[in-house]
Amino acid sequence: MVRQLADSSTPSLSLFACCRDPDGPRGTALQALARRHPDVITVFQLDVTDLCSIKRCAQQVGSRVGPRGLNLLVNNAAVLPHGTAQSSDPELMLAAFNTNVLGPMNLTQELLPLLRAAARASSTVGMSCRKAAVLNISGLAGSIAATPDSYAMASMMPYRVSKAALNMLTTCSAVELQQEGILLVLLHPGWVRTDMGGEEADIDSPESVKGMLSVMDSLTEKHSGAFLDYKGESVPW
């Protein structure tokens, strides 16, 4: 997503890309991308399971954006512990909830003053990702309605429960913040060929990101609290 946004022609774009270990092997590609776009991308260290790291990152972002605030937050970090209702232990459940639920909750809370500032500073009527928005990346695994048809293929119960919790968190936040002009939406990126999705997945990352960016560009106040996939179609709760 960072790559496609950086390569777009969006004027005055500032991207804050966060990584748990930006100086480690997994941060190499992101750092290279930041060097290609030094006026657009700033890389910050962020561990969403560490509240101190979240607070530090929020302060760094705040010092960069100033009074104009932050227009868009994308909560994408996730872990996928495998287990069933019979085999999962508390450690697996806590690992899933710490990253997949508490991470987005805490980061959104810490960045909320910047999102509010952006909403107040905007002259745009209604809600959009250009004004002030939080996009939480969920998935079909978090759909309770879809679980009976998919559970046998991929049980991953802790992940499913955490994503269902993220869906409820997002719905509650959407209700609370809509009067302030802050949009909250859930996005399902599709089954993507990544380290998490595996090689047998349906689509590759560029196709998923291209679709999500198109959906993001079309979001309005009508989509507050919606659960959509990368094609813009509603995902069953």
Side-chain angles (χ1 to χ4, degrees):
M1 183 174 287
V2 175
R3 179 178 291 106
Q4 289 194 29
L5 282 170
D7 289 338
S8 72
S9 57
T10 305
S12 305
L13 181 68
S14 295
L15 297 174
F16 305 110
C18 299
C19 179
R20 192 165 43 204
D21 184 13
D23 298 321
R26 288 182 174 270
T28 302
L30 183 58
Q31 293 285 16
L33 190 62
R35 287 192 293 271
R36 276 179 47 205
H37 302 277
D39 297 327
V40 176
I41 301 173
T42 303
V43 178
F44 291 133
Q45 190 278 332
L46 173 63
D47 180 350
V48 298
T49 66
D50 182 348
L51 189 55
C52 290
S53 176
I54 290 173
K55 289 178 177 292
R56 181 172 61 250
C57 182
Q59 290 172 353
Q60 291 171 324
V61 172
S63 68
R64 294 299 184 103
V65 300
R68 71 180 188 274
L70 180 70
N71 300 105
L72 176 63
L73 166 63
V74 179
N75 283 311
N76 185 53
V79 295
L80 199 165
H82 289 274
T84 67
Q86 299 177 65
S87 67
S88 297
D89 58 27
E91 286 73 22
L92 279 179
M93 294 297 289
L94 286 171
F97 268 74
N98 282 337
T99 298
N100 301 351
V101 185
L102 296 181
M105 184 189 76
N106 289 331
L107 187 58
T108 301
Q109 287 177 353
E110 290 298 323
L111 291 173
L112 193 53
L114 303 181
L115 291 161
R116 285 181 170 132
R120 290 193 300 266
S122 175
S123 59
T124 303
V125 178
M127 292 190 283
S128 72
C129 290
R130 288 187 171 86
K131 183 177 183 178
V134 178
L135 299 183
N136 288 330
I137 304 302
S138 186
L140 193 60
S143 167
I144 295 173
T147 297
D149 294 328
S150 62
Y151 194 75
M153 183 181 71
S155 56
M156 51 192 188
M157 192 274 292
Y159 179 77
R160 288 178 180 274
V161 174
S162 69
K163 285 300 185 179
L166 175 66
N167 294 352
M168 178 58 82
L169 169 66
T170 305
T171 302
C172 295
S173 301
V175 173
E176 291 182 19
L177 297 174
Q178 60 185 349
Q179 295 303 318
E180 298 185 60
I182 301 173
L183 178 67
L184 280 99
V185 173
L186 289 152
L187 280 184
H188 166 42
W191 187 16
V192 188
R193 286 187 287 272
T194 61
D195 290 344
M196 182 177 289
E199 291 297 323
E200 297 180 356
D202 295 332
I203 57 174
D204 58 20
S205 293
E207 181 181 353
S208 172
V209 170
K210 182 179 179 181
M212 286 194 291
L213 291 179
S214 177
V215 172
M216 288 160 56
D217 196 47
S218 70
L219 295 175
T220 70
E221 60 275 9
K222 296 178 182 179
H223 300 101
S224 177
F227 188 6
L228 306 172
D229 69 10
Y230 71 104
K231 296 179 181 179
E233 299 175 356
S234 294
V235 179
W237 294 99

